[in-house]
Amino acid sequence: MGTYDTMWEGLGLDLRRHESLMGILGEFYPMLYLSQKDRPKGMEYFDFVVSEIHGLRVKELLEHKKKGGKVVGTFCVYVPDEILMAAGAIGVGLCGGAEFSIPDAEKTLPRDLCPLIKSVYGFKDAKICPYLQACDMLVGETTCDGKKKVWELLKQELDVHVMEVPQKKVEPEARALWRAEVRKLLKRMEELSGRRITNEKLAEALSLTNGKRKALDRLYMARRADPAPISGKDALLVSQIAFYDDVRRFTEKTNALAAEAEERGEKGKGVLAGSKRVLVTGTPMAIPNWKLHHVIETSGAVVAAEETCTGARYFHNPEVKPGRTLGETLDRIADRYLETPCACFTPNDRRIENVVSMAREWNAAGVVQYVLKFCQIYSIEGILVEKALKKAGIPVITVETDYGMGDMEQLSTRMAAFVEMI
Ligand code: BJ8
């Protein structure tokens, strides 16, 4: 990493703690990532992004702010990026995937809370995340109880706009509520940026987000090849980087990687040859949460695809065509996001059907269901997911864990037994 101390200091980071965080990442990344064999050449760009994780991209965000642009932090794939972009803002996904900041969060928050929420809260409290420090505003949502209440705490120090996500998407009232929420976000973004969002601006932003989603979709389609042209660990990293990288550059690099994966597929070239293919479903894995993928891919299996928000849920229905009026375009955007099958909805049959169909389409011999500890909605929905998979004759294992490394051995033993069985 270059010398960014002055920049980090300017953002109010705790430099000593930040240095230890970077030290841990610098130790883990080569072990988990660079040691993989036969990686596509296109992964070099994503390795570079990680090597500059708190450097170059943060610098770009600050340069954007200097020119009058805004930086907005988000925590969920329900927040329409297009609207932030149309207001000249850059959206950055801020979900926390690191164990490092959890003890900081537990000084305030209950311990029996999902690690994703604790991780991000701890980052804010301990001042160790330059992305959070660079944000002009955060956009939260009412997806799960833990998040809902944490916005109230964060609001005491930061500017937080909360979108109300309905809970029953089939009702027309739910659609109307969500469309209204999307319009409120537009208004809030106009106030923050001092810029009017026109239909043309929104159409321009859509062409960028459509392009990004299509590139990810293309990469996933290439992953249907057997042997897998890219490891699940690498594909997960690409998805995680999608949440904060420059949209144009990311799309170009992901398309190049997808083209390479397609070529590998045609030539029958891949990674982890002879491994059993599995689909991962469940809670998202924010960067640098690579734990489950590492366990799977060192236990004789390869992750063929992910039905998660750091996977296929992020780019479902990739293309939204702009309407003739601003209102029409906003409705189309709202409707696309409302289709996201998150476990916060009741019922959520569409997700359960998706898990079964993805397992078949990506030719998975089994499904690994991932539940972050204390995430009640995914844990309880998991019972129905298991039932549907069993009915379809697809073997499934449910893994409930957090970010700690204490259960790695136990997880590896369970995974090896599952892989043996499928
Ligand atoms: S659309 S999955 S990104 S809410 S924070 S629900 S793990 S207890 S992240 Fe999510 Fe949006 Fe849904 Fe996707 Fe559970 Fe933790 Fe809550 Fe979580």
Side-chain angles (χ1 to χ4, degrees), residues 76-78 114 117 143-144 147 283-284 309 342 372 375 377-378:
C76 177
V77 301
Y78 274 103
C114 145
I117 302 176
T143 44
C144 69
K147 281 190 183 181
T283 43
C309 286
C342 174
L372 269 177
C375 175
I377 53 175
Y378 276 91

Side-chain angles (χ1 to χ4, degrees), residues 119-190:
S119 176
V120 76
Y121 191 84
F123 273 137
K124 191 234 33 136
D125 241 22
K127 297 193 172 27
I128 35 185
C129 173
Y131 291 98
L132 247 167
Q133 301 293 113
C135 283
D136 297 290
M137 185 177 92
L138 306 181
V139 182
E141 22 46 60
T142 57
T143 44
C144 69
D145 289 351
K147 281 190 183 181
K148 258 188 281 198
K149 290 288 122 184
V150 162
W151 308 141
E152 293 171 24
L153 299 181
L154 290 174
K155 257 187 182 172
Q156 296 182 337
E157 293 167 54
L158 306 164
D159 186 3
V160 187
H161 173 84
V162 179
M163 298 184 80
E164 182 172 353
V165 178
Q167 311 278 283
K168 292 172 84 177
K169 66 177 78 176
V170 286
E171 261 81 15
E173 295 84 354
R175 187 169 302 272
L177 166 76
W178 181 240
R179 285 180 172 187
E181 284 297 310
V182 168
R183 281 168 170 76
K184 276 192 218 161
L185 176 68
L186 175 131
K187 253 191 139 268
R188 188 70 185 78
M189 284 308 303
E190 286 186 333

Side-chain angles (χ1 to χ4, degrees), residues 70-91:
K70 300 289 177 192
V71 175
V72 175
T74 62
F75 301 86
C76 177
V77 301
Y78 274 103
V79 179
D81 230 6
E82 295 82 357
I83 296 183
L84 314 184
M85 278 185 201
I90 298 179

Side-chain angles (χ1 to χ4, degrees), residues 375-397:
C375 175
Q376 290 177 335
I377 53 175
Y378 276 91
S379 172
I380 297 171
E381 188 164 287
I383 302 166
L384 295 174
V385 172
E386 275 197 5
K387 223 171 156 182
L389 285 165
K390 281 182 186 152
K391 194 169 163 212
I394 303 167
V396 52
I397 182 176

